[in-house]
Amino acid sequence: MRGSYLLGVVAGLALVGCTPEPSARPEGSTSSSPTATVAASPTESTKTTAPAPQPVRFDAARATADVRHLAGRIGPRLATAPVYDRAARWVAGRLRSLGYDVSRPSFPVPAGDSWGAPVAAGRSSNVVAEPAGFDPSRPHRLVGAHLDTVAVAPGAEDNASGVAVLLELARLAAREEPGAPTVFVAFGAEEPRGPGDALHHFGSTRYVRTMPRAQRRALVAMASLDRVGVGRTVPVCTGPLSADRVQRAVLRTARRIGVPAAPCENTASDHWSFEKAGYPVVRFGSTPYAGYHSAGDVPAVVSTAQLGRTGRLAWAWLRTGTPAR
């Protein structure tokens, strides 16, 4: 009897020794014990809510600094002069630094009269900035501003102001995708070398003529920034040939964001080259001012507030969806 009892005790001890401890349960198993705890994963324990990204904003002070550089440090930029090449290289470098694919196609410009100054024939160039991965066969917009001046003018308002706004818009579009892919072009040789269309708008005319067929079908709107730093109201112009839906869209945007704007009509900028080719266009700017085409077109002429109004309006429009052509 005593032997049987001892054998039972030994067997019981053996069974206890073979039973797994609660902490040694297989991986992935769960416990129904009310005192069991599950440690938070490292990711869960350190997870925080990321702050919402802030919308990018047009920086009028940055644009003003660019006006001062172009019209103050560089000065008059006759399209066929070496100083124009200096300005074009500077603009191209700025756009490349933003991540754009930049090219500088050149073209001939005839001799003529640059607002009273005889000028020889030569070559000029456009500065073309396309977003990385740009597909010219897909719907897109183009924003342009002429970089050249007449022979005697530093060209602060005409047209460092437009180029400065273009550079700032390109910066915003590189940080926040606009409503449609946008190509930015600083045009050469917009200023006339005599009367009539044949002696005006050389760079934009060249661009339109050399567009690949797929891009001709895909371009849905062109906007020109020309003399955009004077006044308190943003002129929103189109020519007599263009459907006015882009102009109306910009004016609606102006009312929505509270920027004073007024419709107008003219053919005196690079939008005219595109309008004649059948594209819907808009021109920002054209307020008269005393220093027009003279040595008095200096940075002090340009208003930072007006650059801001124009830039905010243009950016708000670019953020909208692509209009049908």
Side-chain angles (χ1 to χ4, degrees):
M1 184 69 157
R2 180 171 180 166
S4 299
Y5 171 78
L6 291 174
L7 287 173
V9 171
V10 171
L13 291 172
L15 287 172
V16 171
C18 293
T19 302
E21 293 294 327
S23 61
R25 59 182 179 272
E27 183 179 357
S29 66
T30 59
S31 171
S32 59
S33 169
T35 60
T37 59
V38 179
S41 69
T43 301
E44 292 171 337
S45 63
T46 60
K47 185 176 181 180
T48 58
T49 302
Q54 294 297 312
V56 297
R57 298 184 184 279
F58 188 89
D59 189 338
R62 188 191 299 260
T64 299
D66 288 342
V67 169
R68 290 172 179 160
H69 181 83
L70 283 168
R73 295 184 181 179
I74 295 180
R77 302 175 297 282
L78 182 69
T80 51
V83 70
Y84 176 85
D85 183 68
R86 176 186 168 192
R89 284 187 281 108
W90 180 78
V91 171
R94 285 284 298 276
L95 292 166
R96 285 194 187 97
S97 73
L98 296 172
Y100 290 90
D101 295 326
V102 179
S103 60
R104 283 188 54 197
S106 68
F107 50 87
V109 181
D113 181 281
S114 179
W115 216 253
V119 289
R123 296 189 70 82
S124 190
S125 65
N126 294 328
V127 181
V128 181
E130 298 175 344
F134 174 66
D135 181 352
S137 68
R138 306 288 294 177
H140 63 280
R141 297 181 175 114
L142 186 147
V143 174
H146 75 86
L147 179 58
D148 65 309
T149 69
V150 297
V152 300
E157 169 68 346
D158 189 15
N159 185 40
S161 66
V163 174
V165 171
L166 179 146
L167 289 172
E168 180 63 3
L169 293 174
R171 183 185 72 85
L172 301 183
R175 295 183 58 189
E176 179 181 305
E177 188 173 349
T182 303
V183 176
F184 295 93
V185 184
F187 289 112
E190 185 272 350
E191 296 290 3
R193 298 219 164 189
D197 278 357
L199 294 173
H200 205 178
H201 311 125
F202 297 98
S204 53
T205 298
R206 179 76 172 189
Y207 186 95
V208 171
R209 287 177 179 171
T210 57
M211 286 170 63
R213 181 177 299 177
Q215 188 173 7
R216 288 177 178 273
R217 294 193 297 264
L219 180 62
V220 297
M222 186 275 178
S224 178
L225 299 160
D226 194 348
R227 292 169 40 203
V228 297
V230 167
R232 297 184 178 183
T233 298
V234 179
V236 179
C237 309
T238 188
L241 304 179
S242 178
D244 65 354
R245 60 179 172 271
V246 179
Q247 182 191 47
R248 286 188 285 109
V250 173
L251 291 171
R252 285 195 303 270
T253 301
R255 290 191 293 271
R256 175 172 59 83
I257 67 173
V259 168
C264 50
E265 180 179 297
N266 71 54
T267 60
S269 189
D270 288 309
H271 67 289
W272 182 233
S273 301
F274 290 82
E275 184 168 356
K276 289 187 295 182
Y279 295 101
V281 301
V282 68
R283 171 184 173 172
F284 295 85
S286 71
T287 302
Y289 67 109
Y292 177 66
H293 280 190
S294 77
D297 191 1
V298 295
V301 167
V302 174
S303 161
T304 298
Q306 182 69 350
L307 292 177
R309 283 186 281 267
T310 303
R312 290 196 306 275
L313 176 54
W315 177 240
W317 171 67
L318 284 175
R319 292 184 69 198
T320 64
T322 307
R325 183 176 166 189

